[in-house]
Amino acid sequence: MDVILVPGFWLDASSWDAVTPPLVAAGHRVHPVTLPGLEDGSEVARHASLGLRDWVDAVVALVDSVDGPVVLVGHSGGGAVIHAVVDARPDRVRRAIYTDSWPTGQGSVINDELPAEGDSIPLPPWEFFEDRDLIGLDDTLRERFRAVARPIPAAAATDPQQLSDSPARYRVPVTVVTCEYPAAEVRRLLEGGLPWFAELATVEDVTYVDLPTGHWPQLTRPQDLGEVLLREVERTAT
């Protein structure tokens, strides 16, 4: 199975390096993504011309470049990206796995509260985040994260999600890997009609997997995340 891994903000394809070994060992083809504008430091000059749709289009092009069905994995803001890809290619996606994220609905934005510097949003100071975001992210991991973090195009965080009016995306099975909040709490919030979860509430087939840690499990629990992804890919492929 081809597995496309889309990172969240400030991270590139290398952020999946410690996650993918179980998938590779099982014979799956992994495609970690570096989204447009994060290729290297010089890409900051292009941030004024890049937005959420450019990220979506890049992943759609990757889906189109491989043969057969794919599994999409999206972490954090990458969840909005893969949901738009599911909408664009529902017949090609066998499963969408949202890692500490969920489907972002039409017109919603990923996060319009992040502090921008011109056309870019660098990784904020740790004080910006909630305590639960940082669970498991010790000083060593924080230093490692900050050393590799790259600014993102500001519009990628603030552009409204653009989806079609087709219901086909709701028929693609979804797995939600819950990290900061346990699955039981996510279900409670969903059933309570919280607008954030309105799109997820419409998906026909949803599986929840608890992986207790902070917001960056690919850094704090990479081996465990790799095993979770392998189980979800394997049962999808059968």
Side-chain angles (χ1 to χ4, degrees), residues 7-11 15-16 19 75-77 99-100 114 123-126 128-138 141-142 145-146 149 179-180 211-223 225:
F9 291 173
W10 311 297
L11 295 171
S15 63
W16 298 105
V19 176
H75 165 252
S76 188
T99 303
D100 215 38
L114 293 169
L123 176 65
W126 300 120
F128 177 85
F129 300 99
E130 296 181 2
D131 289 345
R132 68 171 64 231
D133 292 332
L134 304 174
I135 293 172
L137 203 68
D138 60 21
L141 289 176
R142 292 186 192 193
F145 185 1
R146 193 162 292 281
C179 299
E180 296 180 74
L211 184 63
T213 188
H215 187 55
W216 290 278
Q218 66 272 62
L219 302 180
T220 58
R221 295 186 63 180
Q223 293 81 16
L225 178 58

Side-chain angles (χ1 to χ4, degrees), residues 184-203:
E185 187 170 353
V186 173
R187 287 195 191 96
R188 180 182 62 79
L189 294 171
L190 185 150
E191 292 166 0
L194 193 69
W196 290 346
F197 297 113
E199 188 78 357
L200 178 60
T202 313
V203 176

